[in-house]
Every structure is written in C-alpha cells, then in structure tokens.
DNA sequence: CTGAAAGCGCTTACAG
DNA sequence: CTGAAAGCGCTTACAG
C-alpha cells in the first residue's frame, strides 16, 4: 500500500495537464496571471503526480536559496552547555521562519576554521547571507568576508576599520560597568572580575567596563582580582583560590562573565566556609535556566541573546530582499536580575580603603 | 582597497585559461584525469577571477545537496532551555561536518507543522535526507514521510506499523524501570513518577517502565503518585502538592522525566520543610549541566542524546551515499549518575506496606 | 493568458 | 587528456 512516489517534474505535469511547462511553473511560482480553469487543471495534474517544485532548481534559476548561513564551532563542548547557543538558534529561527527562510548550519573545528567555513558558504553561494558570531574577528577576515559581497551581519563588535558593517551586540562594556556600580553601591570595595577567554572580545569589553566602574568609584584595582575561568565551572572554582591568596585583601564581591563560572565560584567559596551572600557576593552573567534554582539563587546579568540573534536575522533578510548591503548597528541592553547572591557589605566591616 | 569580487563562473575561468568549461569543471570536481599543466593554468585563472564553483548549480547537476534536514519547533521556549536541543545539534553537527555535510534547519510553529515542514524539505528536495525528532509520530505521517523516498531516520521509536524504518532511541522504558529498581533497592516503597507531556511517546515509555519496575517489586501503584509536569520547573513544583495530598501515603522518592521538573520538586519539597535526601529522594533525567551544582547535587539519568543524534546522522549519511534506504535501529543505554539527592530510606521508617 | 526559447552554472557520458 | 553537447529542473523576458 505505501507505494513510494517517483519524482515528477514540471514537464510531467505539463504533459498530463496538456499545457506548456512554463504554465506549470507559473501556477507554482504564484506571481503570474493564470486563468482559473487552467490553474485547476495544472493543480490536479500536480496532485496526481505528487509534484512539488524542486527547490534547488528554483534556487539556481532565481539565484536565491531562501537560506541563511551560520557556523557553529561544534568541537567546543562548552558551546553546547552554555545558553548562548540555544538562544542564538531560537532568535535566528524565529525570524527566519516568519520570513520563509531556513538556516544552513555548518560545523567548524575551531576558530580558524570558522572563517574558512563561513567563507566557503559565501563563495559557493550556498546561502543568501550569513550571520557571523565569532568573537575573535580580525580586520582581515572581516575584509575577506565582506569582499564576497553576499550579505553579512556580525553578532558582536567589528574591528574599528570595519565600523560600517552591520552588527548587533549586547552592551558588554557599559553593562559590566553598571554591575560594578551596583556592587559599589552595596558597600563593596574589593571586587573581582572573572572573565572567560581573555582573547575574546566580549571578555575584553567586560574587563574595560569593570575597570571603568572601579575607576568611577575611585577604587584601586588589584591585579590579583582579575582572573580568567575560560567560561568553565572549574575555571570559576579555581579563580577562588587564585583571587584569595591574600585573604586580608580578598574580594568581597565577584562578577563572573558567565553563570557556569559563577557556579564554580559558589562551590569554591562554600568549600572554604565562606558564606554567600553573608560574607561574599557573587553575580553571574547570562541568566541561565539554572541561575534561579541555585543555592543561593544567583543574581545574574541577563544578556538578550535571543533578541540579538533575531535582530541580526532581520537585518540580514532585509538586506537580502532589498538587494542592498545590510545596514545598521544595534546594541541591546542587558538587565541585572537581582536574586539572593548579593548582599550589602555589612557597614561595620566595610573596608573603605 | 577592499574591492569586492564580481561573481565569476566556470565559463569566465575557461576563457581566461583558454580551455573548455568542462575542463574547468573537471579540475574542481576533482575526480577526472587532468594534465598537471592545464590544471595549473585553470587554477591560476580561477585564483585571478576568485572563482569558486556555485554549490547550487552543482547540486542541481549531481542531484545531491550535501545537506541534511532537521526541523525545530522554535515556538516552544522550553525546547531551548532543555539540554536535548543543544545535544541533538552537537551530535548531528559532529558527524555531518566529518562527512562534508551541513544541516538545513527549519523552524515550525507546533507539532502539526513539524510534519508539514519536514515533508516540504523532502518533497522539494532541499536536503538529501532528514532526521525527524518528533515524539508524536503517528502512522500516517511516518507513512507520508517515507513515501517521499528520500532517506529518513527517526529519533525515537516509530509506530509499530513502521518497524522497519531506521530509528535510534534511548532505552526509555528499561532505564526508567532500572531507576525504580534502584530506588526500591534503597528501601523506597512509595515512589512517584513525574512525566512531561503525557502525549509524548517518551513519557509513555517511561511510564511503562515505571509500572513495570513497581510491579516487579510487587508494589502497588497509587494513581496519586503519577503526575505530569510538562517538562517545566513549575510543573515539578506543582507535582509536589498534587502527589502529597495524603501525606501519610505520600511518596518517599520521586523520579522526574527531566531535571527541570526535578528542580521544581526540590523547591516544592524544601518549601514544605521536607529534607532531600533525608526524608525524600529525587532523581531527575538528562543530567543537565546544572544537576551537579544543585543543593543537593541531583542524581540524574543521563540520556546520551548526543550519541543518539550522531548515530542518526551516520545512518542517514550512509544511506544517502549508498543510495539505499536507511537501515538499522539502535538503542543507546542511559546511565544513572549517582549524586546526593537519593538516600536509603531509613529502615525503621520503611513502610513495607 | 499562454507558448517557445534562452538561461541559471554546473556535470558527465560520448568521442576522439 | 580534452572538447562539444546534452541535461539537471526550474524561471522569465519576449511574443502573440
């Protein structure tokens, strides 16, 4: 019973409906004027033969794939446990779907390869445009990517020389600065910054924001308070030890560039018998699903990745459909979700320097 | 300086290298015999003109896209916070990349649409094959999908009538049964099952496993112990209330079909002043990144979704490249990760019925 | 409104 | 080893 379909083409349908193939094409491509009777005849023949236009042939003909490219560094395990990736996909998918596009996602085996793969998609015209998420873009790669003159939008800031590409990003620097300000406002004076990968631009931007916030409060920064946990739980855990060699001068508050490292901090602090938030405060980043359910519930800087991705997809598709280069740059504000991992530093003990 | 490339075709290169277009094609498609000198000439011309073969044209010609389809229900927020999705992508990407494929991922606005979209990808031949993840497959849709005779592999069990499709799944039923057995072995007699969406087949399979485990231990099941939290944290939270109306007969252990619901259980139990694992034990499912970092660290049934996805991709690509229908069915064993949310039920209090 | 033709940019038997 | 031709399955000016 479940007989399988043989693939039929526009010519088969044309023969069966006794019209020219171009007529069949017209009823399926939708835009042309077709008399109702022949449309019905064609549709019926198509139904009989289970015809569906071949998307690839159509793409070749109209020079449009209805597809947007993304490259995912699938070799980094952490990439799939972090909430960035799912949110990115959610945002991209949401607007792609609404606009009739699909995502062409390719793997890559490292940051170098990310550009190779992106370039390949563009150069072979496998997609109508691409969104590039690497946080380690140098001038040359952006230049190379742009030269393909296929629409491109960046998630993250571009190098200064390419200030005119379309990009969308979070307010990494200023949001971090605000977190520091918030902590200072609660009486903290010795505040630590735990970044991810020091080479990534997000992490650099956050560090700037940290220094700016400390400076604005007139606070000196000890280099011992700056540490990198490479976005891993264990990195956060180890940061506790590295930042507290001199307990007398140890931080009373930590800002971590993702929640996983904040969880590591929580664990390291607990092991040392340091109470959070009683003695030390912690704020994470990304507001991952677990944040609300930790003990103590973790205050976290929520970064609107989904909205960022959705905006990127919108800019990209707008450009594809208008035939112009993608334009515009948009920064989305992060938002500190206050929970219970931060407490005002007890006045009596507040080390006002 | 950053002049953009005009797109060049095989004919431009042929003209410049003074050879026939078919020769250019041959040097790029790799398989044909070409003299070293003309190969160099062609390569140089190609470099000059920045030529890269158009992937779509090639696809149309060879009738192969080097692409495998996946449909993602992007309208369900929970889908992107659960660890299933990232792991699925990781596994798919890992083998696709290794085999030179990319993923064509499309959104869908609900379970109905999932089949519509999958069918569309198949019927329009936009991908060489597809992996279908829906857990609500009925006989008709599987039949319809198969009739397109484009390779198809299922993640999850197929309806009985389609036992011969290729599929790969976790050992949902038996693993759940083993968890019950494990709990029974620790002295628990009143054990609750908190499922996700009762209509999904995974949840049904787990319920069977639960009943089987209870039966094997000679334990009667109270229907009050069976509840559904729809995979949400709040669902787990509410399940506490619903399962403990009669505290004298309340469960001493809970099995939840995902970690998010287990987290909700933890919260609900804590609010009632019930100590975990002192008074009640909890085991979750999926071993999400947060599980290890909860208080208490959550014991969880780790389901190897990444491996499942990788296997599915392998079966699919094997089929695509051999030209035969995908074959084989594979079930991957889950593994209980023991942490601290389970404790033997104190002998003195053990309600041996 | 419909047909006939040329074209999208490749590939691949078929000759030689 | 290389050329010339036909074809992959659509679309879309151009006529009428």
């Amino acid at each position: 019973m479940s007989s399988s379909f043989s693939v039929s083409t526009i010519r088969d349908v044309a023969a069966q409906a006794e019209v020219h193939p171009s007529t069949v094409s017209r009823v399926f491509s939708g835009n042309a004027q077709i008399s109702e009777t022949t449309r019905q005849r064609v549709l019926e023949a198509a139904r009989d033969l289970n015809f569906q236009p071949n998307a690839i042939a159509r793409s070749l003909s109209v020079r449009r794939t209805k597809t947007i490219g993304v490259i995912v560094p699938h070799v980094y395990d952490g990439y799939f446990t972090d909430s960035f990736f799912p949110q990115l996909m959610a945002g991209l998918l949401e607007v792609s779907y609404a606009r009739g596009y699909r995502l062409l996602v390719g793997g890559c085996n490292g940051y170098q390869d990310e550009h190779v793969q992106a370039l390949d998609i563009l150069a072979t015209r496998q997609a109508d445009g691409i969104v590039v998420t690497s946080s380690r873009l140098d001038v040359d790669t952006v230049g190379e990517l742009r030269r393909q003159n296929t629409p491109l939008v960046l998630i993250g800031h571009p190098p200064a020389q390419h200030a005119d590409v379309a990009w969308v990003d979070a307010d990494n620097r200023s949001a971090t600065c605000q977190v520091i300000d918030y902590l200072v406002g609660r009486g903290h004076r010795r505040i630590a910054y735990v970044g991810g990968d020091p080479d990534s631009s997000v992490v650099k931007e956050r560090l700037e924001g940290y220094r700016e916030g400390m400076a604005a409060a007139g606070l000196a920064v000890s280099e011992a308070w700056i540490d990198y946990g490479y976005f891993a739980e264990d990195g956060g855990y180890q940061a506790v030890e590295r930042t507290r060699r001199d307990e007398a001068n140890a931080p009373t508050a930590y800002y971590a560039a993702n929640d996983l490292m904040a969880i590591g901090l929580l664990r390291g602090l607990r092991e040392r018998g340091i109470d959070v938030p009683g003695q030390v405060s912690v704020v994470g980043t990304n507001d991952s699903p677990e944040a609300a359910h930790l003990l103590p519930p973790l205050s976290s800087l929520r970064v609107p990745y989904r909205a960022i991705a959705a905006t990127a997809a919108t800019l990209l598709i707008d450009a594809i459909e208008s035939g112009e280069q993608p334009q515009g740059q948009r920064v989305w504000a992060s938002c500190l979700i206050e929970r219970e991992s931060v407490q005002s530093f007890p006045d009596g003990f507040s080390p006002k320097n």
Side-chain angles (χ1 to χ4, degrees), chain A residues 9-325:
Chain A
T9 73
I10 225 170
R11 311 174 61 104
D12 303 321
V13 178
Q16 166 115 338
E18 294 175 308
V19 295
H20 190 91
S22 56
T23 302
V24 178
S25 169
R26 288 190 184 97
V27 356
F28 279 93
S29 55
N31 13 252
Q33 305 279 340
I34 295 280
S35 77
E36 194 48 32
T37 65
T38 99
R39 138 174 278 109
Q40 289 309 332
R41 201 138 44 85
V42 167
L43 255 19
E44 194 187 320
R47 215 174 304 119
D48 274 15
L49 300 172
N50 199 258
F51 168 78
Q52 291 268 108
N54 178 310
I56 301 299
R58 164 158 241 279
S59 290
L60 178 59
S61 196
V62 303
R63 294 134 152 277
R64 195 134 290 179
T65 63
K66 285 279 194 172
T67 264
I68 80 185
V70 208
I71 302 298
V72 172
H74 70 275
V75 291
Y76 301 127
D77 273 2
Y79 201 81
F80 296 102
T81 51
D82 197 90
S83 61
F84 172 71
F85 172 69
Q87 298 226 60
L88 172 78
M89 293 296 291
L92 256 24
L93 239 18
E94 173 190 324
V95 351
S96 296
Y97 179 83
R99 300 269 227 132
Y101 283 70
R102 295 207 243 252
L103 262 29
L104 183 72
V105 1
C108 72
N109 64 25
Y111 292 120
Q112 284 305 319
D113 192 32
E114 189 162 4
H115 306 143
V116 175
Q117 298 297 325
L119 206 53
D120 180 72
I121 287 189
L122 294 184
T124 64
R125 265 123 239 284
Q126 215 182 146
D128 296 338
I130 198 166
V131 2
V132 172
T133 62
S134 176
S135 57
R136 301 148 160 266
L137 287 163
D138 56 64
V139 186
D140 292 351
T141 21
V142 176
E144 211 175 349
L145 256 19
R146 298 185 79 183
R147 236 174 299 129
Q148 298 299 132
N149 63 4
T150 294
L152 158 77
V153 5
L154 254 43
I155 287 185
H157 280 67
Q161 292 88 331
H162 289 286
D164 55 323
V165 277
W167 56 264
V168 13
D169 200 358
D171 56 346
N172 301 134
R173 192 189 48 70
S174 63
T176 306
C177 180
Q178 283 162 34
V179 170
I180 301 306
D181 184 60
Y182 165 86
L183 258 9
V184 168
R186 266 147 201 75
H188 294 279
R189 297 291 174 264
R190 299 193 306 260
I191 303 172
Y193 169 78
V194 182
D197 176 347
D199 288 338
S200 88
S201 48
V202 210
V203 169
K204 288 179 191 162
E205 289 161 28
R206 294 209 181 282
L207 179 58
E208 280 176 42
Y210 165 76
R211 295 204 124 106
E212 191 176 319
M214 293 296 275
L219 263 18
V221 169
S222 158
E223 291 305 310
W225 302 339
I226 296 177
D227 200 67
Y228 296 97
Y230 291 81
F231 294 126
E233 199 266 351
D234 195 55
Y237 177 78
Q238 290 177 29
V240 173
E241 206 228 296
R242 290 190 293 249
T243 52
R244 308 190 80 84
R245 296 232 164 94
D246 176 9
E247 186 66 40
N249 198 34
T252 64
Y254 285 81
Y255 167 71
N258 78 351
D259 285 348
L260 214 47
M261 294 191 295
I263 288 173
L265 288 169
L266 256 25
R267 180 163 65 94
L269 260 6
R270 190 163 50 234
E271 271 189 20
R272 298 194 157 217
I274 298 172
D275 182 57
V276 176
Q279 301 171 73
V280 165
S281 293
V282 173
V283 2
T285 308
N286 280 6
D287 192 28
S288 47
E290 56 262 51
H293 310 299
L294 298 167
L295 279 187
L298 181 68
S299 294
S300 186
L301 186 62
R302 179 184 291 165
V303 185
Y305 285 124
R306 183 168 179 151
I308 289 173
T311 305
T314 302
L315 292 182
L316 191 61
I317 296 176
D318 284 349
I320 291 168
E321 305 202 324
S322 72
E324 303 180 356
Q325 280 306 306

Side-chain angles (χ1 to χ4, degrees), chain A residues 332-349:
Chain A
W332 278 89
S334 306
C335 157
L336 180 64
I337 307 297
E338 298 193 47
R339 282 190 276 251
E340 297 159 37
S341 61
V342 173
Q343 205 173 80
S344 290
F345 196 83
D347 266 328
F349 298 93

